[in-house]
Amino acid sequence: MLLYIVCYDTPSDKRRKKMADILEGYGKRVQYSVFECVLPLEQYQELKKRLRKRYKEGEDCIRFYPISQHTLTQVDLWGGPSLAQEPGSVII
Amino acid sequence: MRTLYLSQQGCWVTLKQEFLRVLSGRQELYTVPLPTLQQVLIFGYAQMTTQAIRACLVREIPIAYLSQTGYCYGRVMPLARGYRGLAQRQQAMAEQWRLQTAQQIVRAKLLNSRVLLMRQLRETPTASGAMVVNSLSHLAARALQTDRLEPLLGIEGIGAALYFPELGNCLRQEGFILLTRTRRPPTNPVNALLSFGYSVLWNHLFTLIELQDLHPYEGCLHRGNRQHAALVSDLLEEFRAPIIDSLMLSLINRRILDADQDFMYEKGGCFLNETGRKKFLKSFLERMSIKIKTQTGTQPFWDVLTQQVRQYKQCIFNPEQVYQPYQIR
């Protein structure tokens, strides 16, 4: 389980919407095109696979930064939502 | 383990992009992202749209339909495709191996009950406590010496008859009494709590067993039939005391549950009502997420459950290995 920072940039409104929709499922939106996702390796790979299908070579740019346990404690946050946590169960 | 528990009556679950949206009327109560979801448990009346059910099937997220009191009516699972050899191996296991496994399960159950009582008795000793604790360890040793299933079941029965009244002595809130275990239906708040707790855990285990491709109806201690998933009941035994019984004690002794407010009486039995169920499920989840020390390191209870199911599966592939149930400490 690692925290991944995923940022994307694309000129296409359609692809941007789709990328955001996918990412919403895996993590938390912390800036307009920046997501924080706490994921096990398997799901991280699934996320990359799904984004890959939407990614257009030469036009888009998607970046994935894994944050190690060591540097996770040194993350500084100025404004915005709190750091994404591992998702837990929901009781309604 | 990430689970969506729907215990509020009359809500709706719809699909929106990567989310399940839980609605009450027009109002959105919660959105749950699908990719990290592992199962959905619906207690009573909540509706899921076909789109939402289909999205769960695609992602192999099982949906369990339970009564408000935790009885499981059934589950929605995707069709299993491909390899099903494991179930055949399970059916072909030798009688001797089954007996051995059943012995280990009964032994662990008795020992876990014993440790739970000992911890309670350390704080508040009772007159009969020491006798019961001794008897349980004696019975645990006897369990390994049986040569057939019937005497083993007898030992388990004697153990339960000693254990539950003593567990009742550990209760320290008015309105909560446990003299014997009653079920179908439970007749008082304590039994209602235990029944609900076992049922919730049973359903979790069922799901884990199915996810590992094991045949849930093929057990060792409990002999299955078409209605009874015996393996689930087998693997539940070792967890009853450490998870549910101890949770029951802490909910009552810490006065989180109230005998008047959190229970209802109907159909000749006593059951948790809506507020009671919510309180219980919340504490249950907290307990399951607590990290405990085991032989393989520190891990939440959820992973211990999965680990036991996996170990059972290994024993099927390698019958010389004897199944080792979870034991406290």
Side-chain angles (χ1 to χ4, degrees):
Chain A
M1 197 82 74
L2 274 180
L3 174 73
Y4 298 91
I5 314 285
V6 186
C7 337
Y8 58 85
D9 199 2
T10 169
S12 155
D13 288 346
K14 200 178 162 191
R15 288 205 299 278
R16 191 182 309 116
K17 168 87 168 71
K18 201 65 215 178
M19 284 175 192
D21 282 351
I22 292 173
L23 276 161
E24 290 268 15
Y26 290 82
K28 188 163 90 173
R29 188 175 222 145
V30 290
Q31 278 181 26
Y32 196 69
S33 56
V34 180
F35 281 80
E36 288 175 2
C37 313
V38 183
L39 298 171
L41 186 62
E42 208 175 303
Q43 269 170 18
Y44 174 58
Q45 280 162 350
E46 182 188 288
L47 170 65
K48 281 205 291 189
K49 205 168 125 194
R50 292 184 66 188
L51 284 174
R52 184 88 215 178
K53 285 188 194 148
R54 305 285 164 184
Y55 168 79
K56 196 165 177 191
E57 188 79 49
E59 287 188 26
D60 299 350
C61 169
I62 307 182
R63 279 154 192 264
F64 305 84
Y65 303 96
I67 307 289
S68 75
Q69 289 303 320
H70 173 64
T71 48
L72 189 62
T73 55
Q74 297 171 35
V75 170
D76 280 329
L77 304 173
W78 294 7
S82 57
L83 200 63
Q85 301 286 320
E86 189 185 328
S89 295
V90 181
I91 307 171
I92 296 163
Chain B
M1 189 87 177
R2 188 181 151 86
T3 307
L4 169 61
Y5 295 85
L6 285 163
S7 69
Q8 184 164 326
Q9 302 305 296
C11 51
W12 279 86
V13 181
T14 61
L15 179 71
K16 189 195 175 197
Q17 289 138 17
E18 298 289 306
F19 293 101
L20 291 182
R21 286 175 81 199
V22 185
L23 304 161
S24 174
R26 291 261 174 89
Q27 194 200 348
E28 183 178 287
L29 297 177
Y30 216 90
T31 56
V32 189
L34 274 169
T36 50
L37 190 63
Q38 279 172 313
Q39 56 178 1
V40 180
L41 268 68
I42 300 178
F43 293 89
Y45 306 100
Q47 316 298 325
M48 281 186 90
T49 62
T50 303
Q51 286 84 342
I53 293 171
R54 192 171 59 189
C56 288
L57 285 173
V58 168
R59 294 186 163 276
E60 298 192 7
I61 300 165
I63 303 163
Y65 288 94
L66 302 97
S67 74
Q68 288 185 52
T69 48
Y71 170 78
C72 185
Y73 298 115
R75 285 151 306 120
V76 178
M77 289 279 278
L79 295 178
R81 293 180 197 281
Y83 184 70
R84 291 193 194 192
L86 192 58
Q88 282 174 11
R89 290 189 80 111
Q90 260 179 282
Q91 273 154 359
M93 294 311 274
E95 276 305 306
Q96 185 56 31
W97 183 86
R98 282 175 199 262
L99 180 65
Q100 241 177 11
T101 308
Q103 285 173 337
Q104 292 292 338
I105 289 170
V106 171
R107 177 172 176 269
K109 177 189 183 175
L110 292 167
L111 289 179
N112 284 347
S113 310
R114 177 174 171 271
V115 173
L116 180 66
L117 286 183
M118 276 169 64
R119 285 180 182 172
Q120 293 295 321
L121 292 170
R122 210 172 294 155
E123 287 169 33
T124 43
T126 63
S128 52
M131 186 276 286
V132 173
V133 165
N134 280 336
S135 307
L136 285 175
S137 66
H138 174 67
L139 287 170
R142 282 260 307 276
L144 295 184
Q145 293 157 4
T146 48
D147 54 356
R148 281 176 306 119
L149 195 62
E150 287 75 25
L152 186 64
L153 290 171
I155 289 174
E156 191 193 9
I158 300 168
L162 285 166
Y163 168 69
F164 281 111
E166 191 55 40
L167 189 67
N169 290 343
C170 302
L171 296 170
R172 288 190 297 277
Q173 192 193 149
E174 262 175 55
F176 289 100
I177 299 163
L178 177 67
L179 296 174
T180 50
R181 174 93 180 99
T182 51
R183 43 196 207 116
R184 290 172 208 207
T187 49
N188 59 27
V190 182
N191 276 300
L193 258 173
L194 290 176
S195 288
F196 184 71
Y198 295 149
S199 177
V200 171
L201 191 59
W202 194 91
N203 282 291
H204 273 292
L205 261 177
F206 199 136
T207 312
L208 293 177
I209 286 169
E210 288 239 338
L211 291 177
Q212 290 292 324
D213 279 334
L214 280 163
H215 193 334
Y217 291 82
E218 197 58 45
C220 294
L221 177 64
H222 301 83
R223 284 301 151 95
N225 53 37
R226 284 182 194 173
Q227 275 92 46
H228 180 204
L231 180 58
V232 186
S233 300
D234 281 3
L235 295 185
L236 180 68
E237 296 295 351
E238 63 205 75
F239 294 114
R240 284 180 193 262
I243 300 180
I244 302 300
D245 297 354
S246 75
L247 183 62
M248 179 275 290
L249 283 179
S250 88
L251 285 174
I252 292 174
N253 290 348
R254 278 160 49 215
R255 296 178 180 268
I256 293 170
L257 283 173
D258 187 287
D260 298 323
Q261 313 244 301
D262 294 320
F263 295 87
M264 58 185 178
Y265 290 86
E266 60 176 34
K267 291 177 197 152
C270 175
F271 303 95
L272 281 159
N273 66 15
E274 199 159 321
T275 57
R277 276 197 305 276
K278 269 191 191 166
K279 283 184 195 172
F280 180 89
L281 284 172
K282 187 166 167 283
S283 312
F284 174 76
L285 284 180
E286 275 166 15
R287 168 139 315 200
M288 294 306 281
S289 319
I290 288 176
K291 295 198 170 150
I292 53 160
K293 260 192 197 157
T294 61
Q295 286 165 338
T296 50
T298 318
Q299 54 190 351
F301 248 123
W302 284 130
D303 297 352
V304 179
L305 255 61
T306 307
Q307 184 183 303
Q308 289 304 119
V309 176
R310 287 219 172 107
Q311 197 214 129
Y312 189 87
K313 190 170 154 183
Q314 275 171 13
C315 294
I316 298 289
F317 282 117
N318 181 13
E320 281 96 78
Q321 200 182 328
V322 182
Y323 175 72
Q324 297 297 328
Y326 166 73
Q327 270 180 258
I328 314 179
R329 268 188 299 183

